[in-house]
Amino acid sequence: MDLQLDQLRALDAVITEGTFEAAARRLSVTPSAISQRIKALEDSAGRILVQRTKPVQPTESGLTVWRLAKQVQLLTSDTARELGDEDQPTAKPVNIPIAVNADSLQSWVMPALGRAAQGVNFEIHREDEEHTTRLLRDGTVMAAITSTAAPVQGCIVRRLGAMRYRPMANPDFVGTWFPDGPTAKAFAVAPVILFDRKDDLQFRLMRRYTRKPVDSPRHYIPSSAGFADALRLGLGWGMMPDLQTRQDDNLIPLDSTVFIDVPLYWQQWRLDSPALGMVAATIAETAAAVLL
């Protein structure tokens, strides 16, 4: 395969932006030029890389080449910065897409990214920690905070620590729905708050008491801040990390002795990239200070 840098950039732009026209605007060329570069790249690869739908969808082969395109662009950006004039840093910032679970993003990741932001543009993908590895596999992100210890192919992994979650609720809600504490009967009828339909943490706790699935009333609130507000307002009970509730007088645990620890890992592409390495080091340093 004879892969040209402008062809790889075109593939990344088309898949990321969703159309040939949007990719052309991003790269300041014509849609015809984008189409020619994609066609030349497909000829070189000997297979179709993108489906010409709206939005454009990568084929399985396209995902493989897209991942290569992002790796090449990262290394190219790193090299440009290293060759630049340190007194006049005009090199284009390195773009690093990262998948992060909402609770980590809300409670501790943002300060880490703030310290690592010089010369880096972040593209954050909010995803449940049990599902972030999918974004690593398909090349959407270069790194992810995940609960999966097994490394994705082509990635390295390091343990960050664990977030401790407890079942929390408004005191009046606890008095109304859990007067005898957490019981199977109470969990079967008490409203529960879920982040989204991938959120299994509340059900994991309930199974300790009910020993079988229960169809309790539920709210879906896909926002960490909104989730906490719903608990404070008494809409239901839910699992909250200690990092977000230590100084919250409006929430109390259903049982202070009950908790679930969710392990977190940092997975990233196996690349010798100074920018990606700097972000990983900052994430690890911050995690060591706040996680279990």
Side-chain angles (χ1 to χ4, degrees), residues 133-147:
T133 52
R134 174 182 59 82
L135 300 179
L136 274 172
R137 288 190 185 94
D138 66 21
T140 301
V141 300
M142 298 178 183
I145 293 175
T146 174
S147 61

Side-chain angles (χ1 to χ4, degrees), residues 49-66:
L49 301 180
V50 295
Q51 299 173 354
R52 272 67 168 175
T53 56
K54 286 195 175 181
V56 168
Q57 295 293 329
T59 63
E60 185 173 348
S61 297
L63 287 174
T64 300
V65 180
W66 184 35

Side-chain angles (χ1 to χ4, degrees), residues 17-36:
E17 302 297 333
T19 67
F20 281 55
E21 292 76 14
R25 288 193 296 271
R26 171 173 156 182
L27 297 181
S28 300
V29 297
T30 65
S32 176
I34 293 294
S35 180
Q36 292 172 16

Side-chain angles (χ1 to χ4, degrees), residues 20-269:
F20 281 55
E21 292 76 14
R25 288 193 296 271
R26 171 173 156 182
L27 297 181
S28 300
V29 297
T30 65
S32 176
I34 293 294
S35 180
Q36 292 172 16
R37 292 175 188 181
I38 296 298
K39 180 63 168 60
L41 184 59
E42 289 179 327
D43 288 344
S44 179
R47 62 198 68 193
I48 299 298
L49 301 180
V50 295
Q51 299 173 354
R52 272 67 168 175
T53 56
K54 286 195 175 181
V56 168
Q57 295 293 329
T59 63
E60 185 173 348
S61 297
L63 287 174
T64 300
V65 180
W66 184 35
R67 177 169 174 148
L68 172 63
K70 296 172 85 70
Q71 292 173 338
V72 169
Q73 290 188 70
L74 175 61
L75 296 176
T76 301
S77 297
D78 280 333
T79 302
R81 292 184 62 80
E82 290 182 23
L83 294 176
D85 186 344
E86 294 183 357
D87 295 329
Q88 296 184 10
T90 58
K92 187 176 179 180
V94 178
N95 185 59
I96 298 183
I98 303 174
V100 184
N101 62 302
D103 289 334
S104 291
L105 189 63
Q106 177 77 13
S107 58
W108 67 273
V109 167
M110 286 306 298
L113 298 184
R115 289 194 295 276
Q118 185 174 2
V120 176
N121 287 340
F122 293 109
E123 181 182 341
I124 302 300
H125 295 254
R126 195 272 302 162
E127 182 58 274
D128 183 86
E129 64 272 9
E130 295 183 0
H131 299 271
T132 50
T133 52
R134 174 182 59 82
L135 300 179
L136 274 172
R137 288 190 185 94
D138 66 21
T140 301
V141 300
M142 298 178 183
I145 293 175
T146 174
S147 61
T148 303
V152 172
Q153 184 176 4
C155 292
I156 57 175
V157 59
R158 68 188 295 178
R159 192 177 192 278
L160 296 174
M163 292 185 72
R164 176 161 293 177
Y165 287 77
R166 300 181 195 272
M168 307 293 290
N170 171 305
D172 291 337
F173 182 91
V174 175
T176 300
W177 294 96
F178 294 92
D180 301 318
T183 63
K185 182 178 180 180
F187 279 125
V189 297
V192 60
I193 300 175
L194 307 174
F195 190 87
D196 55 26
R197 283 174 171 77
K198 299 176 184 177
D199 183 5
D200 186 51
L201 205 55
Q202 284 71 211
F203 296 120
R204 285 169 56 185
L205 181 86
M206 283 192 280
R207 284 193 291 269
R208 295 182 182 180
Y209 295 86
T210 63
R211 305 299 180 185
K212 61 181 180 180
V214 295
D215 189 24
S216 52
R218 61 199 64 173
H219 305 282
Y220 293 96
I221 304 180
S223 159
S224 287
F227 191 101
D229 287 341
L231 294 179
R232 297 185 188 100
L233 292 170
L235 271 68
W237 72 273
M239 301 295 290
M240 284 285 289
D242 284 355
L243 288 176
Q244 294 184 38
T245 60
R246 284 171 178 164
Q247 298 179 341
D248 195 328
D249 296 332
N250 297 312
L251 295 175
I252 61 173
L254 305 185
D255 184 334
S256 60
T257 66
V258 175
F259 57 84
I260 293 178
D261 287 342
V262 177
L264 295 178
Y265 301 86
W266 172 262
Q267 292 213 36
Q268 69 173 65
W269 290 355

